[in-house]
Amino acid sequence: MNKDAQMRAAINQKLIETGERERLKELLRAKLIECGWKDQLKAHCKEVIKEKGLEHVTVDDLVAEITPKGRVDSSMNFNTCLDSCSYHYNQALVPDSVKKELLQRIRTFLAQHASL
Amino acid sequence: MEEISLANLDTNKLEAIAQEIYVDLIEDSCLGFCFEVHRAVKCGYFYLEFAETGNVKDFGIQPVEDKGACRLPLCSLPGEPGNGPDQPLQRSPPEFQ
């Protein structure tokens, strides 16, 4: 394993060991519900299920349709978005404030655990 | 395992790591949501929990057929005379008294 990969693995391990990853997940979950992310994705799910049929929809269908929409934030633009760009450019579901707060918490964690 | 120090990393690299962790958390949330929805669909409570608007017909489920006025003596529909508590109750046949 090269040094970079080793470092990433060590950081992930520390995140899990300290419980910080779980806390970050909970914080993110609460923020995404608060900002209406979950509601918007629910509406999109309804469309997917209507299209595929309630009895036939699979996890793969939902992941393929929902994940690209759910991960979009305002930093994505025509050049960086890997999916249908014009759609996603206008559909930033993750608010900047949520992203900033998460990133700040992560940076604080990295600063506090400078040696792993 | 030798100790790894983040203190020697430049800001860009640290920022890239922070972004990766953030993206990982978002992906986790999306996947978790997909599994929640799939479970709700397969266990039959999707339209109760996730689809607050619309009705079951939107999902290809036939609603229970409306058979019209209930004929039980104590039931009534508004505006329909002849049903409901106004009707006198019948005495039970002698063999059941």
Coordinates of all heavy atoms in Angstrom, one line a residue, chain B residues 24-73:
Chain B
D24 N -17.7 10.8 1.0 CA -18.0 9.5 1.5 C -19.3 9.5 2.4 O -20.1 8.6 2.3 CB -16.8 9.0 2.3 CG -16.8 7.5 2.5 OD1 -17.4 6.8 1.6 OD2 -16.3 7.0 3.5
L25 N -19.4 10.5 3.2 CA -20.5 10.7 4.2 C -21.8 10.9 3.4 O -22.9 10.4 3.7 CB -20.3 11.8 5.2 CG -19.2 11.5 6.2 CD1 -18.8 12.8 6.9 CD2 -19.7 10.5 7.2
I26 N -21.7 11.7 2.3 CA -22.9 12.0 1.5 C -23.4 10.7 0.8 O -24.6 10.4 0.8 CB -22.6 13.1 0.5 CG1 -22.5 14.5 1.2 CG2 -23.7 13.2 -0.6 CD1 -23.8 15.1 1.6
E27 N -22.4 10.0 0.2 CA -22.7 8.8 -0.5 C -23.4 7.8 0.5 O -24.4 7.1 0.1 CB -21.5 8.1 -1.0 CG -20.7 8.9 -2.1 CD -21.3 8.6 -3.5 OE1 -21.8 7.5 -3.7 OE2 -21.2 9.4 -4.4
D28 N -22.9 7.7 1.7 CA -23.4 6.9 2.8 C -24.9 7.2 3.0 O -25.8 6.4 3.1 CB -22.6 7.1 4.0 CG -22.4 5.8 4.8 OD1 -23.4 5.1 5.0 OD2 -21.2 5.5 5.1
S29 N -25.2 8.5 3.1 CA -26.5 9.0 3.4 C -27.4 8.6 2.2 O -28.6 8.2 2.5 CB -26.5 10.5 3.6 OG -25.8 10.9 4.7
C30 N -27.0 8.8 1.0 CA -27.8 8.5 -0.2 C -28.1 7.0 -0.2 O -29.2 6.6 -0.4 CB -27.1 8.9 -1.5 SG -26.9 10.6 -1.7
L31 N -27.1 6.2 0.0 CA -27.3 4.7 0.0 C -28.3 4.3 1.1 O -29.2 3.5 0.9 CB -26.0 4.0 0.2 CG -25.1 3.9 -1.0 CD1 -23.8 3.2 -0.7 CD2 -25.8 3.1 -2.1
G32 N -28.1 4.9 2.3 CA -29.0 4.6 3.4 C -30.4 4.9 3.1 O -31.3 4.1 3.4
F33 N -30.6 6.1 2.4 CA -31.9 6.5 2.0 C -32.5 5.5 1.0 O -33.7 5.1 1.1 CB -31.9 7.9 1.4 CG -33.3 8.4 1.0 CD1 -34.2 8.8 2.0 CD2 -33.6 8.4 -0.3 CE1 -35.4 9.2 1.6 CE2 -34.9 8.8 -0.7 CZ -35.8 9.3 0.2
C34 N -31.7 5.0 0.1 CA -32.2 4.1 -1.0 C -32.6 2.8 -0.3 O -33.6 2.2 -0.7 CB -31.1 3.8 -2.0 SG -30.8 5.2 -3.1
F35 N -31.8 2.3 0.7 CA -32.2 1.1 1.4 C -33.5 1.2 2.2 O -34.3 0.3 2.2 CB -31.1 0.6 2.3 CG -29.9 0.0 1.5 CD1 -28.6 0.4 1.8 CD2 -30.0 -1.0 0.6 CE1 -27.5 -0.1 1.1 CE2 -29.0 -1.5 -0.1 CZ -27.7 -1.0 0.2
E36 N -33.6 2.4 2.8 CA -34.9 2.7 3.5 C -36.1 2.6 2.6 O -37.1 2.0 3.0 CB -34.8 4.1 4.1 CG -34.4 4.3 5.5 CD -34.5 5.7 5.9 OE1 -35.6 6.3 5.9 OE2 -33.4 6.2 6.3
V37 N -36.0 3.2 1.5 CA -37.1 3.3 0.5 C -37.4 1.9 0.0 O -38.5 1.4 0.0 CB -36.8 4.2 -0.7 CG1 -37.8 4.1 -1.8 CG2 -36.8 5.7 -0.2
H38 N -36.3 1.2 -0.4 CA -36.5 -0.2 -0.9 C -37.2 -1.1 0.1 O -38.1 -1.9 -0.2 CB -35.2 -0.8 -1.3 CG -35.3 -2.1 -2.0 ND1 -35.0 -3.3 -1.4 CD2 -35.7 -2.4 -3.3 CE1 -35.3 -4.3 -2.3 NE2 -35.7 -3.8 -3.4
R39 N -36.8 -1.0 1.4 CA -37.4 -1.8 2.4 C -38.9 -1.4 2.6 O -39.7 -2.3 2.7 CB -36.6 -1.6 3.7 CG -37.2 -2.4 4.9 CD -36.4 -2.3 6.1 NE -37.1 -2.9 7.2 CZ -37.2 -4.2 7.5 NH1 -36.6 -5.0 6.7 NH2 -37.9 -4.7 8.5
A40 N -39.1 -0.1 2.5 CA -40.5 0.3 2.7 C -41.4 -0.2 1.5 O -42.5 -0.7 1.7 CB -40.6 1.8 2.7
V41 N -40.8 -0.2 0.3 CA -41.5 -0.8 -0.8 C -41.8 -2.3 -0.7 O -42.9 -2.7 -0.8 CB -40.7 -0.5 -2.1 CG1 -41.3 -1.3 -3.3 CG2 -40.7 1.0 -2.5
K42 N -40.8 -3.0 -0.3 CA -40.9 -4.5 -0.2 C -41.8 -4.9 1.0 O -42.4 -5.9 1.0 CB -39.6 -5.2 -0.2 CG -38.8 -5.0 -1.4 CD -39.5 -5.4 -2.7 CE -38.8 -4.9 -3.9 NZ -39.6 -5.2 -5.2
C43 N -41.8 -4.1 2.1 CA -42.6 -4.5 3.2 C -44.0 -3.9 3.1 O -44.8 -4.1 4.0 CB -41.9 -4.0 4.5 SG -40.4 -4.8 4.8
G44 N -44.2 -3.1 2.1 CA -45.6 -2.6 1.8 C -46.0 -1.4 2.5 O -47.2 -1.0 2.5
Y45 N -45.1 -0.6 3.1 CA -45.5 0.6 3.7 C -44.9 1.9 3.1 O -44.9 3.0 3.7 CB -45.2 0.6 5.2 CG -43.7 0.4 5.6 CD1 -42.8 1.5 5.6 CD2 -43.2 -0.8 5.9 CE1 -41.5 1.4 6.0 CE2 -41.9 -1.0 6.2 CZ -41.0 0.1 6.3 OH -39.7 -0.1 6.6
F46 N -44.5 1.7 1.8 CA -43.9 2.9 1.2 C -44.9 4.0 1.1 O -44.6 5.2 1.4 CB -43.3 2.5 -0.2 CG -42.9 3.7 -1.0 CD1 -41.7 4.3 -0.7 CD2 -43.7 4.3 -2.0 CE1 -41.3 5.5 -1.4 CE2 -43.3 5.4 -2.7 CZ -42.1 6.0 -2.4
Y47 N -46.1 3.7 0.6 CA -47.1 4.8 0.3 C -47.6 5.4 1.6 O -48.2 6.5 1.6 CB -48.2 4.3 -0.6 CG -49.1 3.2 0.0 CD1 -50.2 3.6 0.7 CD2 -48.8 1.9 -0.2 CE1 -51.0 2.6 1.3 CE2 -49.6 0.9 0.4 CZ -50.7 1.3 1.1 OH -51.5 0.3 1.6
L48 N -47.4 4.7 2.7 CA -47.9 5.2 4.0 C -46.8 6.2 4.6 O -47.1 7.3 5.0 CB -48.1 4.1 5.1 CG -49.3 3.3 4.9 CD1 -49.2 2.1 5.9 CD2 -50.5 4.1 5.1
E49 N -45.6 5.8 4.5 CA -44.5 6.5 5.1 C -43.9 7.6 4.2 O -43.5 8.6 4.6 CB -43.4 5.6 5.6 CG -42.4 6.2 6.6 CD -41.6 5.2 7.3 OE1 -42.2 4.3 7.8 OE2 -40.4 5.4 7.2
F50 N -43.7 7.2 2.9 CA -42.9 8.1 2.1 C -43.8 8.9 1.1 O -43.3 9.9 0.6 CB -42.0 7.2 1.2 CG -40.8 6.7 2.0 CD1 -40.9 5.6 2.8 CD2 -39.6 7.5 2.1 CE1 -39.9 5.1 3.5 CE2 -38.6 7.0 2.8 CZ -38.7 5.8 3.6
A51 N -45.0 8.5 0.8 CA -45.8 9.3 -0.2 C -46.9 9.9 0.5 O -48.0 9.4 0.6 CB -46.2 8.3 -1.3
E52 N -46.7 11.1 1.1 CA -47.7 11.8 1.9 C -48.8 12.3 1.0 O -49.9 12.4 1.4 CB -47.1 12.9 2.7 CG -46.3 12.5 3.9 CD -44.8 12.9 3.7 OE1 -44.6 13.6 2.7 OE2 -44.0 12.5 4.5
T53 N -48.5 12.7 -0.2 CA -49.5 13.2 -1.1 C -49.8 12.2 -2.2 O -49.1 11.2 -2.4 CB -49.0 14.5 -1.8 OG1 -47.7 14.1 -2.5 CG2 -48.7 15.6 -0.8
G54 N -50.9 12.3 -2.8 CA -51.3 11.4 -3.9 C -52.0 10.2 -3.2 O -52.3 10.2 -2.0
N55 N -52.3 9.2 -4.0 CA -53.0 8.1 -3.4 C -52.4 6.8 -4.0 O -51.5 6.8 -4.8 CB -54.5 8.2 -3.6 CG -54.9 8.1 -5.1 OD1 -54.4 7.3 -5.9 ND2 -55.8 9.0 -5.5
V56 N -53.0 5.7 -3.5 CA -52.4 4.4 -3.8 C -52.4 4.1 -5.3 O -51.6 3.3 -5.8 CB -53.0 3.2 -3.0 CG1 -52.8 3.5 -1.5 CG2 -54.4 3.1 -3.3
K57 N -53.4 4.7 -6.0 CA -53.5 4.4 -7.4 C -52.3 4.9 -8.2 O -52.0 4.4 -9.2 CB -54.8 5.1 -8.0 CG -56.1 4.3 -7.7 CD -57.2 4.7 -8.6 CE -58.0 5.8 -8.0 NZ -59.2 6.1 -8.8
D58 N -51.6 5.9 -7.6 CA -50.4 6.4 -8.3 C -49.4 5.3 -8.4 O -48.4 5.4 -9.2 CB -49.8 7.5 -7.4 CG -50.6 8.8 -7.5 OD1 -51.5 8.9 -8.4 OD2 -50.3 9.7 -6.7
F59 N -49.4 4.3 -7.5 CA -48.4 3.2 -7.5 C -48.9 1.9 -8.1 O -48.4 0.9 -7.9 CB -47.9 3.1 -6.1 CG -47.3 4.3 -5.6 CD1 -48.1 5.2 -4.8 CD2 -46.0 4.7 -5.9 CE1 -47.5 6.4 -4.4 CE2 -45.5 5.9 -5.5 CZ -46.2 6.8 -4.7
G60 N -50.1 2.0 -8.8 CA -50.6 0.8 -9.4 C -51.3 -0.1 -8.4 O -51.6 -1.3 -8.7
I61 N -51.7 0.4 -7.2 CA -52.4 -0.4 -6.3 C -53.9 0.0 -6.4 O -54.2 1.1 -6.3 CB -51.9 -0.1 -4.8 CG1 -50.4 -0.4 -4.7 CG2 -52.7 -0.9 -3.8 CD1 -49.9 0.0 -3.4
Q62 N -54.7 -1.0 -6.6 CA -56.2 -0.7 -6.7 C -56.8 -0.5 -5.3 O -56.6 -1.3 -4.4 CB -56.9 -1.9 -7.4 CG -56.5 -2.1 -8.8 CD -56.7 -0.8 -9.6 OE1 -57.7 -0.1 -9.5 NE2 -55.7 -0.4 -10.4
P63 N -57.4 0.6 -5.2 CA -58.1 0.9 -3.9 C -59.2 -0.1 -3.6 O -59.7 -0.7 -4.6 CB -58.6 2.3 -4.0 CG -58.7 2.6 -5.4 CD -57.8 1.7 -6.1
V64 N -59.6 -0.3 -2.4 CA -60.7 -1.2 -2.0 C -62.0 -0.6 -2.7 O -62.3 0.6 -2.6 CB -60.8 -1.3 -0.5 CG1 -62.1 -2.0 -0.1 CG2 -59.6 -1.9 0.1
E65 N -62.7 -1.5 -3.3 CA -63.9 -1.1 -4.1 C -64.9 -0.5 -3.1 O -65.2 -1.0 -2.0 CB -64.5 -2.4 -4.7 CG -65.5 -2.1 -5.8 CD -66.1 -3.4 -6.3 OE1 -65.3 -4.3 -6.6 OE2 -67.3 -3.5 -6.3
D66 N -65.5 0.6 -3.5 CA -66.5 1.2 -2.7 C -67.9 0.6 -3.0 O -68.4 0.7 -4.1 CB -66.5 2.7 -3.1 CG -67.6 3.5 -2.3 OD1 -68.2 2.9 -1.4 OD2 -67.7 4.7 -2.5
K67 N -68.4 -0.1 -2.1 CA -69.7 -0.9 -2.4 C -70.9 0.0 -2.1 O -72.0 -0.6 -2.0 CB -69.6 -2.2 -1.6 CG -68.5 -3.1 -2.0 CD -68.8 -4.5 -1.5 CE -67.6 -5.4 -1.6 NZ -67.0 -5.7 -2.9
G68 N -70.7 1.3 -1.8 CA -71.9 2.1 -1.6 C -72.4 2.0 -0.2 O -71.6 1.7 0.7
A69 N -73.7 2.4 0.1 CA -74.2 2.5 1.4 C -74.1 1.2 2.2 O -74.4 0.1 1.7 CB -75.6 2.9 1.3
C70 N -73.7 1.3 3.4 CA -73.7 0.2 4.3 C -75.1 -0.2 4.7 O -75.9 0.7 5.0 CB -72.8 0.5 5.5 SG -72.8 -0.9 6.7
R71 N -75.4 -1.4 4.7 CA -76.8 -1.8 5.0 C -77.0 -2.2 6.4 O -78.1 -2.5 6.8 CB -77.2 -3.0 4.1 CG -77.1 -2.7 2.6 CD -77.6 -3.8 1.7 NE -77.3 -3.4 0.3 CZ -78.0 -2.6 -0.4 NH1 -79.0 -1.9 0.2 NH2 -77.7 -2.3 -1.6
L72 N -76.0 -2.1 7.3 CA -76.2 -2.4 8.7 C -77.1 -1.3 9.3 O -77.0 -0.1 8.9 CB -74.9 -2.4 9.4 CG -73.9 -3.5 9.0 CD1 -72.6 -3.4 9.8 CD2 -74.6 -4.9 9.3
P73 N -78.0 -1.6 10.1 CA -79.0 -0.7 10.6 C -78.4 0.5 11.4 O -79.0 1.5 11.4 CB -79.9 -1.5 11.6 CG -79.2 -2.8 11.8 CD -78.2 -3.0 10.7

